[in-house]
Amino acid sequence: DLVIRASKVGITVTLWIYLHFTQLQLDSTFCETSEQPVVIVDASDNRIIQVCNKARAQGVDVGLGLGAAAALCQHLQVQPYDCMFEKNKLKEIAHSLYQVTCDISFVSHNGILLRVSNMLNLYQGLEAYWQCIQAVLQRLKVCYSYASGYSPLAARLLAKNKVNLITDDSSMLLHQVKSHALYESDLPSTIGEQLTRVGVHAFEALLNIPMAQLAKRFDAQLVHYVGRLLGQFKEPVNFYQPPESFSRYVELLFEAENTAWLSKPLHTLLH
């Protein structure tokens, strides 16, 4: 692999890009032709987790309870959240991205990790590579946030917080990581509470603590997390291999009374 050296942190690491898809189920249900506002609801607590623009225009937003949302929007169309649906759609996105980049990995049900460093020679730089990635995602018409990082964990932290920054500047990326509060990360709540009790609320304070002191004062899980965040500890990544065959479908939120109504979704699938 072509390795980019992050001199500011004193180690040799690989550049990654994380893509976080914020409303993948909603983007994949062809709701643009529905006259009714559409939301995706988490059945476990009846809270809104994905909102179309028509619903948002009437005051409905992510985190709102279903009862409150129905009061704001009279003709609200509700769809239950389907994690497996999103996982399948993520594979379709990866299949499209595989045409322009080779090292793709799934993270959870709504994230894709790209190993960038070994693609930079082919595209003669990060900017041209990122433009190709964006072109594929624009064609798929999905909403996403993104970020680069010198570790998978750092790229994910920045992307999930909608930093939307693609750069190979190690100092800038480290500064972005340090600017975030600990509650914005995937750190277990128990570790977050321990750090808060000793006055550590943000990554800047956490990363200023030497690793040796972290190992003495805190659980090994925190040391491992910081090492992965800085790219000092290797993180196992399983890369995607496209299948020999594929299928595509789109879920319609309306009844098709004649075949002419199918032309637009069929065109989308064929394209």
Side-chain angles (χ1 to χ4, degrees):
D1 295 347
L2 172 65
V3 176
I4 297 178
R5 296 186 179 276
S7 57
K8 295 298 182 181
V9 295
I11 53 176
T12 302
V13 285
T14 303
L15 187 66
W16 304 81
I17 287 177
Y18 190 87
L19 305 171
H20 179 62
F21 298 93
T22 53
Q23 53 178 50
L24 193 52
Q25 182 175 341
L26 188 68
D27 291 338
S28 306
T29 53
F30 213 76
C31 63
E32 61 187 60
T33 57
S34 176
E35 295 181 0
Q36 294 177 297
V38 181
V39 295
I40 307 296
V41 176
D42 186 343
S44 65
D45 58 4
N46 281 333
R47 294 208 168 270
I48 309 297
I49 58 174
Q50 298 178 22
V51 187
C52 78
N53 290 331
K54 292 177 183 176
R56 187 171 276 110
Q58 297 188 43
V60 180
D61 209 346
V62 172
L64 201 63
L66 183 56
L72 288 170
C73 190
Q74 187 176 5
H75 301 291
L76 195 64
Q77 187 170 357
V78 179
Q79 294 288 320
Y81 174 67
D82 187 341
C83 182
M84 188 56 63
F85 179 91
E86 287 204 331
K87 286 183 178 180
N88 290 333
K89 289 300 174 182
L90 208 62
K91 290 180 181 178
E92 293 182 12
I93 294 173
H95 194 86
S96 296
L97 286 172
Y98 199 78
Q99 299 175 70
V100 297
T101 190
C102 62
D103 292 336
I104 302 170
S105 180
F106 301 119
V107 183
S108 185
H109 57 92
N110 58 4
I112 284 179
L113 181 68
L114 306 175
R115 184 164 63 178
V116 178
S117 297
N118 59 334
M119 299 299 298
L120 297 182
N121 271 351
L122 178 63
Y123 287 95
Q124 298 182 343
L126 180 59
E127 183 178 355
Y129 171 78
W130 177 237
Q131 286 175 354
C132 288
I133 298 296
Q134 283 184 301
V136 173
L137 297 174
Q138 185 176 10
R139 187 175 72 247
L140 297 175
K141 297 181 179 179
V142 288
C143 296
Y144 64 98
S145 56
Y146 57 88
S148 56
Y150 279 105
S151 72
L153 195 58
R156 186 181 184 193
L157 169 68
L158 298 181
K160 290 186 71 174
N161 286 287
K162 301 180 180 180
V163 172
N164 295 342
L165 173 68
I166 299 296
T167 179
D168 57 4
D169 186 323
S170 59
S171 298
M172 184 182 298
L173 291 172
L174 187 58
H175 172 74
Q176 287 291 334
V177 169
K178 287 183 175 181
S179 69
H180 283 83
L182 296 180
Y183 71 83
E184 296 176 301
S185 72
D186 294 327
L187 267 174
S189 58
T190 53
I191 294 179
E193 290 169 2
Q194 291 175 6
L195 291 167
T196 300
R197 284 198 292 268
V198 296
V200 178
H201 302 278
F203 277 100
E204 182 167 15
L206 175 61
L207 297 181
N208 284 336
I209 302 174
M211 292 288 271
Q213 289 189 27
L214 280 180
K216 289 181 180 179
R217 299 171 60 185
F218 299 99
D219 190 273
Q221 188 177 3
L222 178 60
V223 177
H224 185 66
Y225 180 91
V226 172
R228 288 165 53 216
L229 184 70
L230 295 176
Q232 296 174 354
F233 296 170
K234 187 176 181 180
E235 187 164 353
V237 177
N238 296 318
F239 292 112
Y240 166 77
Q241 292 293 331
E244 294 182 358
S245 61
F246 73 94
S247 62
R248 291 287 184 272
Y249 76 97
V250 63
E251 187 172 335
L252 304 181
L253 300 182
F254 57 88
E255 293 185 2
E257 297 181 359
N258 59 73
T259 55
W261 290 10
L262 298 177
S263 61
K264 192 169 183 180
L266 278 173
H267 179 269
T268 299
L269 285 176
L270 292 170
H271 181 69

